[in-house]
Amino acid sequence: MANIQIKERKIVELHPHPKNEGIYGDEDIEQLAQDIERSKWVKPLIVTPEGTIISGHRRWKAVSYLGWVTVPIEEKEFTDEIAELEALLLENANREKSIEQKCREGLTWEAIERTNSRQRQGSKGSGVGSTRDVIAKRVGIGSGINYEKARKVLSAIDEALLVGNLAKAEALRKKLNHKSVNAAFKMITSIENTSETQHSETQHTQMQWILAKLGQKLCGSVWIASNDRSRIWEKQELGSLSMDSLPQLGIRDNAQKTVALIDVVWLSGDNQITAAFEVECTTSIYSGLLRLADLVALVPNLNFPLYVVIPQSRVEKVKKELSRPSFQALKMNKKCNWIVLEDLAQEWEAIIKYGTELDAINRLSENLSTIKNSI
């Protein structure tokens, strides 16, 4: 057995391992400092000849806080950085750790295994790198599935910290460490779903506001579905841009009620519809098209254009829906155009500045007929 030599070394000559705080965080040392002050003893730190601390970061902080000048250390040499990192993890194997710390250990073990696997390539009988199940067991997180969920939570925490969302990071950290991996994973799923919903609602409101502004400029009057009137864009309620009540349009009651449900309707000075728009960011495209199709069925001789406003990512979905036999029977493939909302967001200011007629908005649109004719 090798003879272990303990010696004193100046505290100012020592420095933490660069990976330690990333794994274990900035830990509280107040209680440890009190214990050391009372006992006047501290377990020797393990350090490299260059002064890098491998084991004893909390002890080093505690004695620094107490004003000690020197600290007992055991000096060890390591073959490379990977060997140092392995020793750092192994020295912390039996300490009490939070789930976050265990998972960050797992990420570090993954990095070590990837390096070791590359070094083993070509060496017959050297084995393979550790699986996530093995790493999960090693750090005490249970199954590989549980570990994978914890990794995703850590990613969400780090992303929140990166953009300065400290409240979100702390909420996730608290849920992970004080509840469970599953609870924290459900929380990020909920946050992602909420964020996506809020984003789509924001896009929907923006498009209605833009269409209302364009409608006032190009046609005169605008109708906005009543359930959207309270939404605000650019500090302006959508309701302030809409007619208070939908005028009688000279069509049957059922058709009148259908028009009232459409997201945005443009009307001329004599209260004739000049265009109708459905905005479909994430909700069912079929339901929006069905509302427009109902209008076509109720007013087969309508002579104004119908539009569905969608993200670029949903263009193929619109094409597929408009190709349905039921829609083609009503000639929706010719009567209904789509407008890509990214294009509308980019071009609307130029249209409102220079456009004088409906064709200005029509140039932004496409339909199945125009696509087929251009092929």
Side-chain angles (χ1 to χ4, degrees):
M1 185 180 218
N3 186 30
I4 298 175
Q5 292 187 341
I6 306 298
K7 59 183 178 179
E8 293 286 321
R9 191 157 176 180
K10 290 182 179 179
I11 289 173
V12 294
E13 294 177 350
L14 308 180
H15 53 269
H17 191 284
K19 298 289 186 182
N20 186 78
E21 189 168 333
I23 299 170
Y24 300 110
D26 185 15
E27 299 176 279
D28 179 45
I29 50 86
E30 186 175 347
Q31 183 59 52
L32 177 60
Q34 290 176 9
D35 293 342
I36 291 173
E37 186 174 32
R38 184 170 52 253
S39 67
K40 308 300 181 185
W41 177 86
V42 64
K43 180 182 177 182
L45 283 61
I46 296 176
V47 303
T48 68
E50 295 76 28
T52 300
I53 301 170
I54 301 300
S55 173
H57 289 83
R58 293 178 68 245
R59 283 169 272 153
W60 172 70
K61 285 185 179 181
V63 295
S64 298
Y65 173 77
L66 292 172
W68 288 23
V69 177
T70 63
V71 66
I73 64 103
E74 177 189 347
E75 200 171 274
K76 283 188 177 182
E77 290 194 49
F78 298 90
T79 55
D80 53 28
E81 292 180 3
I82 292 298
E84 285 185 6
L85 198 52
E86 283 188 274
L88 185 150
L89 294 173
L90 291 171
E91 287 292 338
N92 283 284
N94 296 321
R95 62 172 284 186
E96 186 176 338
K97 287 167 280 194
S98 68
I99 297 176
E100 179 183 0
Q101 289 171 334
K102 290 177 181 179
C103 188
R104 291 195 187 279
E105 281 188 338
L107 294 175
T108 309
W109 278 119
E110 282 191 63
I112 291 171
E113 285 297 327
R114 283 195 296 270
T115 301
N116 288 341
S117 293
R118 285 195 295 271
Q119 292 173 350
R120 288 196 298 261
Q121 283 180 359
S123 300
K124 189 175 180 181
S126 60
V128 296
S130 180
T131 65
R132 286 177 183 169
D133 282 324
V134 172
I135 289 175
K137 185 176 180 180
R138 172 184 281 170
V139 298
I141 291 185
S143 69
I145 293 174
N146 206 44
Y147 172 62
E148 182 63 26
K149 289 180 179 179
R151 289 173 83 253
K152 290 180 179 178
V153 174
L154 283 197
S155 179
I157 290 172
D158 291 342
E159 286 176 11
L161 291 172
L162 188 64
V163 299
N165 193 342
L166 302 184
K168 176 182 175 181
E170 189 55 34
L172 285 170
R173 184 171 278 143
K174 185 176 180 180
K175 188 74 73 173
L176 177 66
N177 292 326
H178 299 290
K179 290 292 184 180
S180 66
V181 171
N182 276 331
F185 183 73
K186 287 178 181 178
M187 186 175 180
I188 63 168
T189 303
S190 174
I191 290 172
E192 288 170 356
N193 291 341
T194 300
S195 177
E196 183 178 345
T197 300
Q198 289 173 342
H199 178 63
S200 66
E201 288 178 352
T202 298
Q203 282 186 318
H204 193 282
T205 302
Q206 180 191 16
M207 290 302 110
Q208 283 182 293
W209 183 85
I210 287 174
L211 289 169
K213 288 288 189 180
L214 289 172
Q216 289 180 332
K217 169 68 186 299
L218 299 178
C219 298
S221 300
V222 172
W223 167 261
I224 296 175
S226 57
N227 59 314
D228 295 327
R229 302 276 181 86
S230 61
R231 293 184 176 186
I232 296 174
W233 187 260
E234 294 292 339
K235 299 181 180 179
Q236 188 173 28
E237 277 198 3
L238 295 184
S240 67
L241 302 174
S242 175
M243 307 172 77
D244 292 331
S245 60
L246 187 64
Q248 286 300 318
L249 303 171
I251 55 180
R252 288 187 292 173
D253 287 345
N254 285 347
Q256 180 91 9
K257 290 177 181 178
T258 298
V259 172
L261 296 173
I262 293 173
D263 285 333
V264 181
V265 180
W266 292 357
L267 299 102
S268 63
D270 57 354
N271 291 332
Q272 295 299 306
I273 298 177
T274 56
F277 302 84
E278 280 288 339
V279 181
E280 302 296 347
C281 296
T282 58
T283 52
S284 171
I285 289 175
Y286 178 76
S287 62
L289 289 175
L290 189 60
R291 203 155 27 242
L292 297 177
D294 285 345
L295 185 59
V296 171
L298 292 166
V299 190
N301 296 321
L302 60 77
N303 57 2
F304 54 85
L306 306 172
Y307 300 95
V308 58
V309 180
I310 52 163
Q312 177 66 51
S313 59
R314 309 194 85 191
V315 168
E316 293 304 316
K317 180 67 174 174
V318 167
K319 291 179 185 179
K320 183 178 179 180
E321 293 292 352
L322 286 173
S323 298
R324 287 174 178 263
S326 56
F327 285 149
Q328 293 218 1
L330 291 169
K331 298 184 179 179
M332 288 288 287
N333 56 321
K334 296 180 179 179
K335 294 179 180 180
C336 184
N337 293 13
W338 64 83
I339 298 173
V340 174
L341 67 81
E342 290 89 347
D343 294 340
L344 182 58
Q346 183 175 342
E347 301 293 337
W348 80 273
E349 289 178 309
I351 295 174
I352 207 167
K353 186 173 182 180
Y354 301 110
T356 57
E357 54 188 25
L358 188 60
D359 190 53
I361 193 74
N362 200 49
R363 284 195 294 270
L364 277 180
S365 70
E366 288 187 283
N367 66 32
L368 290 179
S369 298
T370 57
I371 289 176
K372 289 177 181 178
N373 291 337
S374 64
I375 297 176

